[in-house]
């Protein structure tokens, strides 16, 4: 078996240890046993990430002081900044934006570019999350710039590099593009997209929405030549209440909201929350632990992180393969009568563990409720939602049930989901007969 195409499951011992590190991995504390397959909406929480947040939140000290606890807080924030910039994104220097949400950090990056760089237009795609799409549209309108949209390939669910490049010219200020679809899980070919874009305009600023992709993969911002990339800790096993974004030195040199007395590289305003920084570092500690598992090599924290994420990627790819293809026990989603997998690209190396499905003749809201009644949490994306309409229609559909497990899930979890899906599709057939 080619593990890079079909993935590789973690061994049972390691997976059991992993599941012990998560809170409520197989049940809700009030409503009982369940499969939580809505990790794209807010992932299962790492116990240590929540534990350290609560511990630090209970301390009254202000980090803008000089006593030992304040020093400790600053060390926590410095460590997390290094973790996000270097360990996660592969940036040796550059800067970090923090805000209440990843969406707010996106608006901050987009506004800084469009309001301060000479040019006549900015480009995005019709697959973007509203926080990215609307940010570009809003600041284009505000600053009298042309708003250009590259359309997805309706047959594949990807945005082709050529479609983006043809929207870019010497007067383009910004390209904003998503790393992977938050509905289908399709991973955009950022390397080819950025190469094609910079061939048209080498001075172009490029910002990437990495919110959905970072829990399932990696992004080397330096290698790719990205100026900004955001992600949300609450979708990456950590806490709500903060969004992070990498910004390049080039972007930081543009005028932006800051205190005059501080360096251009400093984007923070006011006193940050050390507990939320500690929570994110706990997640990175966990990924590095995965990288060190069964290894005797002496590796840097960045290398440990990359190795840990590789284990996550391969395990999730194996789960995705089983979800789509099934096994001797039960057929996969691709092979069930009445079940449709949308934007079903065959190469699993180009997909995160997110699947969009439907059952013929079934209303998506009712289908979500039917799954919930059977102890499965999924989410319906429908074109009556402002968050979903444009993205769904970009890939030629009006709705879908989004299924998004996490690497702490098992083959048995996948098989249980398949069995319930089979039951729901057959139940509909019987009701119509």
């Amino acid at each position: 078996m080619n593990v890079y195409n079909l993935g590789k499951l973690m061994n049972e011992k390691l997976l059991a240890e992993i599941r012990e590190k998560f809170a409520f991995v197989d049940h809700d504390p009030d409503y009982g046993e369940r499969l939580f397959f809505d990790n794209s909406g807010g992932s299962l929480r790492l116990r240590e990430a929540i534990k350290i947040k609560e511990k630090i939140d209970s301390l009254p000290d202000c980090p803008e002081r000089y006593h030992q606890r304040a020093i400790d807080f600053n060390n926590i924030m410095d460590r997390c900044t290094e973790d996000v910039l270097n360990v996660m994104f592969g940036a040796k220097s550059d800067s970090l934006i923090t805000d209440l949400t990843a969406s707010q950090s996106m608006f901050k990056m987009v506004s800084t570019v469009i309001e301060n760089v000479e040019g006549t237009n900015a480009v995005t795609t019709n697959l973007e999350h509203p926080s990215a799409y609307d940010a570009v549209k809003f600041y284009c309108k505000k600053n009298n710039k042309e708003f250009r949209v590259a359309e997805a390939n309706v047959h594949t669910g990807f945005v082709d590099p050529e479609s983006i490049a043809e929207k870019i010219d010497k007067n383009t200020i910004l390209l904003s593009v998503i790393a992977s679809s938050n509905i289908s899980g399709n991973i955009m070919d950022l390397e080819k997209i950025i190469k094609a874009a910079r061939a048209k305009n080498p001075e172009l600023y490029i910002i990437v929405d990495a919110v959905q992709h970072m829990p399932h993969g990696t992004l080397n911002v330096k290698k790719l030549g990205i100026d900004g990339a955001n992600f949300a800790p609450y979708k990456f096993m950590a806490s709500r209440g903060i969004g992070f974004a990498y910004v390049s030195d080039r972007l930081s040199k543009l005028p932006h909201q800051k205190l005059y007395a501080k360096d251009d590289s400093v984007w923070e305003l006011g006193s940050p929350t050390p507990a939320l920084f500690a929570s994110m570092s706990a997640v990175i500690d966990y990924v590095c632990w995965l990288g060190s598992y069964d290894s005797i090599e002496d590796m840097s924290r960045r290398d440990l992180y990359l190795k840990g994420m590789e284990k996550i990627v391969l395990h999730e790819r194996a789960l995705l393969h089983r979800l789509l293809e099934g096994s001797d026990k039960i057929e996969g989603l691709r092979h069930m009568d009445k079940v449709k997998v949308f934007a079903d690209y065959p190469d699993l190396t180009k997909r995160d563990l997110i699947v969009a499905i439907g059952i013929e003749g079934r209303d998506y809201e009712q289908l979500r409720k039917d799954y919930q009644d059977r102890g499965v949490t999924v989410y319906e994306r429908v074109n009556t939602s402002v968050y979903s309409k444009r993205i769904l229609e970009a890939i030629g559909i009006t709705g879908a049930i989004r299924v998004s497990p996490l690497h702490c899930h098992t083959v048995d979890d996948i098989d249980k989901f398949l069995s319930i899906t089979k039951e729901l599709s057959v139940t509909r057939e019987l009701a119509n007969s």
Side-chain angles (χ1 to χ4, degrees):
M1 180 179 71
N2 186 331
V3 296
Y4 287 96
N5 289 331
L6 304 182
K8 182 180 179 181
L9 293 169
M10 298 182 197
N11 66 61
E12 291 184 7
K13 179 177 181 295
L14 173 57
L15 195 54
E17 289 186 49
I18 287 171
R19 288 169 68 83
E20 284 296 318
K21 293 180 181 293
F22 283 84
F24 308 124
V25 69
D26 57 6
H27 70 284
D28 181 283
D30 297 314
Y31 303 110
E33 183 180 341
R34 71 167 178 185
L35 283 178
F36 188 78
F37 277 17
D38 187 27
N39 289 279
S40 290
S43 71
L44 290 162
R45 301 288 189 258
L46 194 67
R47 292 182 188 274
E48 186 58 32
I50 304 307
K51 180 180 176 182
I52 192 68
K53 174 184 177 293
E54 290 178 348
K55 176 183 177 182
I56 294 173
D57 262 344
S58 68
L59 299 168
D61 304 76
C62 173
E64 303 292 331
R65 300 292 184 268
Y66 301 99
H67 56 276
Q68 187 58 53
R69 184 60 72 186
I71 293 170
D72 292 344
F73 283 169
N74 280 284
N75 287 339
I76 286 168
M77 292 185 291
D78 289 345
R79 181 175 187 256
C80 182
T81 299
E82 168 71 9
D83 277 343
V84 172
L85 293 180
N86 184 12
V87 178
M88 286 184 66
F89 283 123
K92 295 293 183 183
S93 56
D94 305 292
S95 300
L96 185 72
I97 292 178
T98 61
D99 219 316
L100 286 174
T101 66
S103 296
Q104 287 176 305
S105 68
M106 176 60 73
F107 267 76
K108 191 174 289 184
M109 290 187 290
V110 169
S111 66
T112 299
V113 175
I114 293 181
E115 294 193 326
N116 294 289
V117 179
E118 290 187 5
T120 62
N121 67 82
V123 176
T124 189
T125 85
N126 61 352
L127 281 187
E128 307 302 307
H129 186 276
S131 64
Y133 186 94
D134 291 3
V136 179
K137 187 174 183 178
F138 177 86
Y139 285 104
C140 278
K141 185 176 181 180
K142 181 181 177 184
N143 294 277
N144 297 313
K145 310 295 184 184
E146 182 185 356
F147 176 62
R148 297 179 177 178
V149 181
E151 295 188 357
N153 184 326
V154 71
H155 302 294
T156 66
F158 294 88
V159 184
D160 298 325
E162 299 78 14
S163 297
I164 291 176
E166 69 182 19
K167 298 289 184 181
I168 294 170
D169 58 35
K170 64 181 181 179
N171 293 310
T172 304
I173 301 165
L174 170 71
L175 167 63
S176 175
V177 60
I178 201 165
S180 66
S181 169
N182 63 357
I183 288 182
S184 69
N186 290 357
I187 304 168
M188 302 304 120
D189 193 337
L190 290 179
E191 185 173 353
K192 288 184 178 179
I193 287 171
I194 292 170
K195 182 179 180 180
R198 291 211 186 278
K200 297 289 290 290
N201 185 343
E203 300 305 315
L204 182 73
Y205 283 83
I206 296 176
I207 293 175
V208 172
D209 174 358
V211 171
Q212 287 295 345
H213 183 59
M214 293 310 288
H216 308 287
T218 57
L219 201 64
N220 189 323
V221 295
K222 286 299 190 184
K223 182 179 178 181
L224 289 168
I226 293 169
D227 291 293
N230 68 337
F231 77 97
Y234 85 91
K235 292 190 178 184
F236 198 177
M237 305 176 280
S239 302
R240 290 187 182 273
I242 195 167
F244 288 113
Y246 153 83
V247 285
S248 68
D249 286 338
R250 185 170 80 123
L251 201 158
S252 286
K253 286 182 173 66
L254 298 176
H256 57 272
Q257 292 180 344
K258 62 178 286 293
L259 299 180
Y260 279 112
K262 295 199 173 185
D263 189 81
D264 287 343
S265 63
V266 179
W267 290 69
E268 284 178 352
L269 294 168
S271 300
T273 308
L276 294 172
F277 284 73
S279 180
M280 192 63 230
S281 278
V283 170
I284 297 173
D285 286 342
Y286 162 76
V287 177
C288 290
W289 168 78
L290 266 180
S292 68
Y293 197 88
D294 289 337
S295 176
I296 59 173
E297 297 179 62
D298 184 16
M299 291 184 285
S300 69
R301 189 164 169 81
R302 166 74 173 164
D303 288 340
L304 286 170
Y305 179 84
L306 292 175
K307 189 173 180 181
M309 285 305 303
E310 182 181 37
K311 288 182 178 179
I312 288 172
V313 167
L314 292 176
H315 182 77
E316 289 192 347
R317 192 171 297 156
L319 294 181
L320 177 59
H321 181 263
R322 193 170 183 107
L323 189 61
L324 294 170
E325 294 294 343
S327 65
D328 293 339
K329 295 181 179 179
I330 187 169
E331 62 265 50
L333 296 172
R334 285 173 172 166
H335 306 288
M336 288 186 186
D337 291 338
K338 309 298 182 183
V339 175
K340 174 67 175 176
V341 182
F342 301 115
D344 185 18
Y345 198 72
D347 184 352
L348 302 191
T349 67
K350 300 183 185 302
R351 298 178 63 172
D352 288 333
L353 185 52
I354 304 170
V355 177
I357 67 169
I359 296 178
E360 186 178 318
R362 298 297 297 269
D363 173 79
Y364 292 108
E365 183 178 0
Q366 183 58 51
L367 188 54
R368 185 260 302 161
K369 292 177 181 177
D370 291 339
Y371 274 113
Q372 194 72 53
D373 289 343
R374 289 159 176 79
V376 180
T377 300
V378 290
Y379 183 58
E380 79 275 16
R381 305 300 303 254
V382 290
N383 66 350
T384 54
S385 163
V386 297
Y387 287 99
S388 304
K389 177 179 173 61
R390 171 179 37 78
I391 309 171
L392 289 165
E393 293 176 356
I395 57 175
I397 59 176
T398 60
I401 292 293
R402 185 177 64 185
V403 184
S404 52
L406 200 63
H407 70 273
C408 57
H409 285 117
T410 66
V411 164
D412 288 344
D413 293 333
I414 298 298
D415 288 354
K416 182 177 180 180
F417 175 81
L418 290 174
S419 178
I420 290 169
T421 301
K422 180 71 172 179
E423 175 193 338
L424 289 172
S425 65
V426 171
T427 300
R428 180 65 180 182
E429 286 182 339
L430 291 175
N432 289 338
S433 61

